[in-house]
Amino acid sequence: MHPGKLPIERGSTTVYYSILNNRNVSVTAFYMTADIDAGRIFLSKKNIRNHLKSVELDRWFDCGIRADCFKHALPYIKQRIPKALRLMKNQRNTMSFIRFKHVAILSLKEE
């Protein structure tokens, strides 16, 4: 779930660009490829900008809009799991990134 309207908004600061450009914040569900923010798009959702000033954007808003998009994308993903697994096996760079990210998260210690 990418916070931004792909292929227009790429990168990690799309929420802020949307706000500065006076656009609704979007989230795009897509299958990742080895290229940054590239792959087949299967769902895009717009989120209302109202009350963003009172919300912590990075910690709550970004996570919330990604989770909402994932909830709506889940039926689509479930129907295509076998095909998605085949695609992911063919994209070793993507799988390496996912494993790397997972290993890093698991290495964090509770404080």
Side-chain angles (χ1 to χ4, degrees):
M1 305 304 123
H2 171 76
K5 177 77 171 151
L6 288 176
I8 300 164
E9 299 172 320
R10 297 176 188 259
S12 62
T13 55
T14 57
V15 171
Y16 300 102
Y17 277 108
S18 295
I19 291 167
L20 290 172
N21 289 315
N22 204 28
R23 291 193 306 256
N24 286 328
V25 177
S26 297
V27 179
T28 305
F30 72 105
Y31 290 111
M32 290 174 61
T33 65
D35 297 321
I36 294 174
D37 296 337
R40 194 166 65 95
I41 296 167
F42 59 90
L43 178 68
S44 186
K45 285 192 57 103
K46 277 192 247 181
N47 296 277
I48 299 171
R49 295 171 36 99
N50 297 349
H51 311 295
L52 287 182
K53 204 169 194 173
S54 62
V55 174
E56 197 171 334
L57 293 175
D58 289 329
R59 192 174 291 173
W60 299 107
F61 182 72
D62 186 290
C63 296
I65 62 175
R66 289 183 199 225
D68 180 64
C69 186
F70 182 68
K71 178 182 79 173
H72 288 92
L74 203 52
Y76 180 91
I77 295 167
K78 281 180 165 179
Q79 291 175 352
R80 289 158 182 82
I81 285 176
K83 184 177 180 182
L85 291 174
R86 283 195 310 275
L87 286 171
M88 288 180 2
K89 284 180 185 174
N90 293 333
Q91 298 170 2
R92 295 192 187 278
N93 290 341
T94 300
M95 291 306 292
S96 295
F97 169 75
I98 293 168
R99 284 189 204 109
F100 176 72
K101 181 178 175 182
H102 187 67
V103 168
I105 291 169
L106 288 175
S107 73
L108 295 172
K109 293 185 172 86
E110 294 280 333
E111 291 185 18

